[in-house]
Amino acid sequence: MREEDYKAAAVVKLDTLGEVNDVGKPWRYEEDGLTVTRTCPWSPPGCHPVGCGLKLYVNDEGRLVKVEGDENHPVTQGRLCPRCIALKDYVYHPARILVPLKRDRADRGKADAWEECSWDEAFGIVKENYERICAEYGPESIIGMSGTGREGGTMSLYPTMVFGTPNYCYMQSGYACYTPRLAAAAYITGTTYAEWDYSGALPGRWDDERYELTECLVIWGKAPLESNPDGFFGHAVVDAMRRGMRIIQIDPRVNWLSARADILLQLRSGTDTALAMAMLNIIIEEDLYDHDFVEYWCYGFDQLAERVRTMPPEKAAEICQVPVEKIYAAARMYATAKPAAILWGLAVDQKTDGMQNSQCIISLQAITGNLDRPGGQLLPGSDAGHNELGFGYKECIPDELFQKMIGMAEYPAYCNMILNSQVDRMLETLETDEPYPIRMGFYMGDNALTNCSMEPKRWRAALLRSLEFCIGIDTFMNASIQATCDLFLPIATVAEREGTVFTHYAPCTVTAGFMHKAIDCGNLPSDMELAYRLGKYLHPERFEKWANEHELVEAFRLGVEEHGEYFDRVSQCVVAQVPIDYYKYEKGLLRPDGQPGFATPTGRVELWSTAYNQFGEDPLPFYIEPEFSPVSKPELAEEYPLVLTTGARTTAFFHSEHRQIPYLRELNPDPIMEINPVTAQRYGVSDGQWVRMWNMFGECFMKARVSEIVDEKTVHAQHGWWFPEEDGSEPNLYGNFRCNINNLLPNGHMGKLGFGAPNKCLICNIEPVSESYDTDMAVVWEKFGKLV
């Protein structure tokens, strides 16, 4: 199939899916006196960007009364997580903000200082400060601070077209969330992120004649059932297991899937790259690789083979602290299964050698011949992206301004790849005004001081020091906005908006979903609508080609220019399986020039990376011992004897969201740290007891869950904890710093290219505090509050 035919097929498929794949339910219908609207959410309620199928039931008074799963959805098939089911409670929560709020800069941190204002007044405040700051410092003095967002890539519109700044920034050290995997895939294969092919895009799903059931799936540092991460629908794993698929689980923790895996490699946190190199070594030495794929489609195989010989399985077993026979068994099972796939997750990113870990995983996928084959790793075609990355850059960010992006000089591989300022350099800039001051900021669905920023008190101080004006865009007040913002702009939830959601952030799209407005809680804008309205208010010339938000959606998310009609037409299908093709490297569908091969300088999968080499990095994978571990820092082992890993997902929450929703909070009422029974006994910790955790960077307090989920050397802590029920003013800030595991995580410890962070491979110590929260935590907070 030629590239132009592929694109045409995508449009036709979107147009006709409602007729082809629906089971009799239109996008809106009446049932038992209620109006039912079918929709596909991005976030909230979470799981971005899966686009799970929802049915929203609305009564005659226009009130949402019930949420159910949509059995029409070809992938999720009516299954929902608790966050979706609790959407009604989210929408109508009394703490939700439905009008713009303002306050003086001098009143930052004062929860009672906010005043309601009109949208016209709010826009006027934005314009006054924007024009003043741009005139004095230039548009580069503005930072757009992004979280997971509410509507996908819409967030990139704010920094580029609305405010015209090159400094779009996700506030997590080394942006160690998806981007190391994304960048490594782009540099090594020339395309973005190879996802497991779970038949989501095929009309017949598992029974489609084009599909081959995955024989073996390696789940590497991912918790698909708890969070549906990166747009992947987690329960597809269970669907495939029911059909006979075998599982290899690589994770320091034990979960439901690893308890049912054929092989569990419960490795020491942060040692994944050593394990991956050893698996490559076994597959090559035992001649288990795909000779044809290696010969015709791989570059640098001999050099890779030589490099991985430096990591024999016995050495990796000692490093990873797993039985060597399990490493052999896992490598052989994966290599001999046809097809096989690797489902790789956040843990791959969150280490200093995250780019090398990704490089090894891509090499495993390549040399076994599992790239872009049915049931293997699905690759995006050359037309992937739906026009999101870089939208508006050419028109609004001239090259001179683009080159001013913070971190561009030091980390060009990072900045040019993801069009973000390098976050660790941004923190330093906020603290020093070097190379120039940052004076205005805006949060886009972000609660960085709670959720993603390492050393959050340092970030708070830097933002307060530097920003003369800051905007928060969200559904609820949170600690980050409360601490640092002067203006709050409310937005619609998924039940109140129209829009789109593409799985896997648009690259490697399996389904395209459409959001439909079912209710109205104050005529609030969606992210796209707010970006359009605010952008047109500040820069009408940049938005003059689109008469309304629908036309912008069509250009930005759908890549078409049909002036408001196309979206209305295709959105009524609710969800579309986007056409896919296999073995695209043979057909010229991966390269913009239409030639066979991969979109790399060599035209092949670069096991020896010319891009890494160009940026001054070793072109072959290598293992880096975690910088803070009992091995690399034996002198600290007595003071900090435990390995600390963080951030495993929970079904109750999405990052820092949903703590104020009673039904969800009941599932997980307290911040939990997991500790092995043997370790708990050694430290005098009882199940349910409060524990102080600390290391060289900071401390926090969490409640112990004594369980064999973790081994004796490891403790795990939940992330994203705050207490919306508490006082929001400084210094408490909803208890933001009291139970925040990010206090123990450092900035500035990323890889050479600017990616990666040691969030899942640190060290710490613990001590029991008390068995009673009510009596003792007041004392703890009195002590801890003095440190804030």
Side-chain angles (χ1 to χ4, degrees):
M1 183 183 291
R2 296 177 302 165
E3 181 182 5
E4 58 266 32
D5 294 334
Y6 182 82
K7 291 181 177 179
V11 173
V12 171
K13 183 68 173 180
L14 285 169
D15 248 343
T16 61
L17 184 82
E19 300 169 12
V20 173
N21 207 35
D22 198 85
V23 295
K25 295 294 186 184
W27 73 278
R28 178 169 287 162
Y29 59 94
E30 301 295 320
E31 182 178 295
D32 298 331
L34 300 173
T35 300
V36 185
T37 302
R38 294 172 55 216
T39 188
C40 294
W42 168 273
S43 174
C47 300
H48 69 293
V50 178
C52 298
L54 300 186
K55 295 191 296 187
L56 306 180
Y57 291 77
V58 178
N59 65 17
D60 291 340
E61 298 175 353
R63 187 174 179 85
L64 178 64
V65 296
K66 185 172 63 172
V67 177
E68 288 186 349
D70 184 2
E71 70 280 6
N72 298 279
H73 194 292
V75 174
T76 62
Q77 298 173 324
R79 293 168 287 187
L80 294 181
C81 69
R83 300 180 293 275
C84 283
I85 295 171
L87 176 60
K88 177 170 66 74
D89 303 278
Y90 187 102
V91 168
Y92 296 121
H93 195 281
R96 189 174 164 215
I97 299 173
L98 302 176
V99 295
L101 303 176
K102 66 175 184 177
R103 66 180 176 188
D104 293 335
R105 181 184 178 191
D107 290 328
R108 287 178 181 172
K110 297 179 181 179
D112 59 357
W114 292 103
E115 300 177 13
E116 293 186 6
C117 65
S118 68
W119 281 99
D120 287 342
E121 184 180 3
F123 276 28
I125 292 171
V126 173
K127 184 173 184 177
E128 176 187 354
N129 285 277
Y130 171 64
E131 292 180 345
R132 173 182 61 82
I133 289 171
C134 281
E136 186 171 354
Y137 302 103
E140 66 270 24
S141 67
I142 302 172
I143 175 178
M145 297 169 283
S146 169
T148 52
R150 310 290 176 191
E151 197 176 330
T154 305
M155 295 176 291
S156 66
L157 280 174
Y158 287 104
T160 55
M161 300 192 70
V162 177
F163 294 108
T165 176
N167 287 315
Y168 178 23
C169 187
Y170 190 93
M171 296 165 63
Q172 182 185 56
S173 179
Y175 196 163
C177 179
Y178 190 62
T179 58
R181 283 171 284 158
L182 193 73
Y187 286 133
I188 294 167
T189 69
T191 188
T192 50
Y193 200 65
E195 183 59 84
W196 170 42
D197 177 25
Y198 54 99
S199 73
L202 299 175
R205 288 300 314 279
W206 306 104
D207 299 320
D208 195 287
E209 62 181 10
R210 300 172 64 194
Y211 189 70
E212 296 178 50
L213 179 66
T214 309
E215 187 176 331
C216 173
L217 179 68
V218 181
I219 304 176
W220 203 314
K222 197 164 190 148
L225 300 188
E226 288 79 6
S227 66
N228 298 333
D230 307 323
F232 169 77
F233 181 62
H235 276 74
V237 177
V238 179
D239 292 341
M241 290 171 67
R242 287 172 173 162
R243 289 164 171 80
M245 183 180 73
R246 296 179 293 166
I247 296 291
I248 298 171
Q249 181 93 16
I250 300 173
D251 202 308
R253 299 171 69 249
V254 176
N255 58 25
W256 189 91
L257 284 171
S258 55
R260 290 156 178 80
D262 291 74
I263 298 173
L264 169 62
L265 293 165
Q266 198 171 1
L267 77 176
R268 177 168 63 93
S269 292
T271 63
D272 307 68
T273 305
L275 173 63
M277 290 179 68
M279 291 177 67
L280 284 165
N281 186 11
I282 293 167
I283 292 168
I284 294 171
E285 291 296 315
E286 296 189 0
D287 197 24
L288 301 177
Y289 61 92
D290 186 319
H291 286 253
D292 286 343
F293 191 90
V294 167
E295 180 179 355
Y296 292 110
W297 304 110
C298 291
Y299 175 81
F301 176 77
D302 291 339
Q303 294 95 322
L304 175 70
E306 183 178 355
R307 174 59 60 86
V308 298
R309 288 191 192 104
T310 65
M311 187 60 71
E314 291 72 19
K315 179 179 178 181
E318 183 178 350
I319 291 171
C320 301
Q321 298 179 6
V322 297
V324 68
E325 59 271 17
K326 283 195 171 186
I327 299 178
Y328 276 102
R332 291 164 179 164
M333 180 184 290
Y334 171 70
T336 57
K338 300 298 178 186
I342 298 176
L343 191 62
W344 42 332
L346 184 66
V348 173
D349 304 327
Q350 294 193 336
K351 55 180 70 69
T352 302
D353 64 357
M355 291 290 282
Q356 285 69 39
N357 194 176
S358 294
Q359 187 178 16
C360 288
I361 288 175
I362 295 166
S363 298
L364 283 166
Q365 295 166 349
I367 71 169
T368 56
N370 282 303
L371 283 180
D372 217 24
R373 65 172 295 175
Q377 308 291 155
L378 190 62
L379 289 177
S382 60
D383 61 335
H386 296 279
N387 229 10
E388 290 183 7
L389 189 61
F391 190 93
Y393 257 87
K394 181 179 179 181
E395 298 84 356
C396 306
I397 311 291
D399 186 66
E400 180 182 359
L401 182 60
F402 180 69
Q403 295 304 321
K404 290 184 177 181
M405 182 185 292
I406 297 297
M408 178 66 76
E410 303 93 332
Y411 301 105
Y414 180 110
C415 295
N416 283 293
M417 171 55 61
I418 61 175
L419 302 182
N420 271 220
S421 51
Q422 207 285 330
V423 58
D424 300 87
R425 280 292 293 116
M426 176 57 75
L427 176 57
E428 295 171 3
T429 296
L430 289 165
E431 293 174 324
T432 65
D433 290 348
E434 296 294 337
Y436 52 79
I438 303 294
R439 291 294 182 258
M440 176 178 166
F442 55 97
Y443 293 102
M444 303 167 285
D446 192 10
N447 186 12
L449 299 186
T450 304
N451 182 53
C452 67
S453 63
M454 317 299 87
E455 300 177 274
K457 287 182 284 185
R458 180 182 170 191
W459 270 99
R460 179 189 60 176
L463 291 166
L464 288 172
R465 173 203 173 275
S466 189
L467 300 185
E468 296 178 4
F469 178 66
C470 192
I471 308 165
I473 302 170
D474 218 314
T475 50
F476 286 84
M477 182 62 68
N478 60 47
S480 304
I481 296 174
Q482 193 68 266
T484 62
C485 285
D486 314 297
L487 188 69
F488 184 102
L489 300 180
I491 53 174
T493 68
V494 66
E496 306 157 67
R497 65 169 61 196
E498 294 177 335
T500 59
V501 51
F502 293 90
T503 52
H504 314 122
Y505 309 96
C508 213
T509 300
V510 172
T511 61
F514 296 90
M515 291 179 267
H516 289 118
K517 184 174 181 177
I519 57 173
D520 192 331
C521 294
N523 195 29
L524 296 177
S526 67
D527 294 81
M528 184 68 78
E529 291 167 340
L530 181 58
Y532 176 81
R533 295 171 191 175
L534 185 56
K536 197 167 185 179
Y537 182 81
L538 297 177
H539 290 286
E541 74 283 359
R542 295 179 184 174
F543 291 81
E544 62 185 2
K545 68 172 68 175
W546 305 295
N548 52 49
E549 298 91 343
H550 277 188
E551 292 185 11
L552 181 57
V553 168
E554 289 162 355
F556 180 70
R557 299 307 308 274
L558 301 177
V560 297
E561 298 279 358
E562 292 201 17
H563 306 300
E565 299 177 0
Y566 185 73
F567 177 85
D568 290 337
R569 188 166 70 252
V570 301
S571 66
Q572 293 187 18
C573 72
V574 184
V575 59
Q577 291 171 293
V578 176
I580 61 168
D581 207 341
Y582 297 111
Y583 306 109
K584 291 186 285 294
Y585 52 87
E586 296 177 347
K587 307 170 185 177
L589 297 176
L590 294 181
R591 297 175 57 90
D593 60 11
Q595 296 299 308
F598 293 80
T600 61
T602 62
R604 300 175 180 229
V605 178
E606 296 193 342
L607 309 177
W608 190 99
S609 173
T610 60
Y612 282 28
N613 188 59
Q614 175 189 349
F615 290 119
E617 180 60 283
D618 191 327
L620 292 166
F622 57 92
Y623 169 67
I624 301 176
E625 174 66 27
E627 184 177 353
F628 302 100
S629 79
V631 175
S632 60
K633 294 288 189 294
E635 69 277 11
L636 296 177
E638 183 174 349
E639 187 175 2
Y640 307 113
L642 295 170
V643 174
L644 170 64
T645 184
T646 69
R649 305 301 187 243
T650 167
T651 56
F653 310 125
F654 182 64
H655 294 301
S656 66
E657 289 198 83
H658 306 111
R659 297 304 192 286
Q660 64 273 79
I661 308 302
Y663 288 120
L664 298 176
R665 186 70 172 273
E666 186 177 352
L667 296 175
N668 197 153
D670 301 303
I672 296 298
M673 62 86 69
E674 297 163 347
I675 183 170
N676 187 275
V678 174
T679 312
Q681 185 176 21
R682 185 164 71 244
Y683 282 85
V685 173
S686 301
D687 188 56
Q689 187 170 18
W690 285 91
V691 172
R692 174 179 173 248
M693 307 179 69
W694 78 96
N695 63 11
M696 66 288 289
F697 302 111
E699 68 175 354
C700 73
F701 296 85
M702 309 199 88
K703 185 173 278 191
R705 175 180 292 161
V706 178
S707 170
E708 292 181 347
I709 285 174
V710 292
D711 59 34
E712 296 177 26
K713 61 183 175 291
T714 304
V715 291
H716 168 266
Q718 292 179 347
H719 77 299
W721 268 95
W722 61 306
F723 301 89
E725 67 273 17
E726 293 187 10
D727 179 18
S729 296
E730 291 275 17
N732 190 44
L733 282 178
Y734 307 107
N736 185 71
F737 300 110
R738 185 171 74 241
C739 302
N740 193 333
I741 193 60
N742 288 2
N743 294 335
L744 282 70
L745 310 184
N747 294 281
H749 296 272
M750 57 283 182
K752 189 173 182 178
L753 300 183
F755 295 97
N759 298 8
K760 294 186 181 294
C761 47
L762 284 159
I763 51 178
C764 74
N765 205 339
I766 66 168
E767 63 180 6
V769 176
S770 171
E771 296 180 5
S772 170
Y773 174 88
D774 294 331
T775 60
D776 198 69
M777 282 308 289
V779 178
V780 170
W781 176 234
E782 182 180 358
K783 170 189 172 185
F784 187 70
K786 295 175 182 177
L787 303 176
V788 177

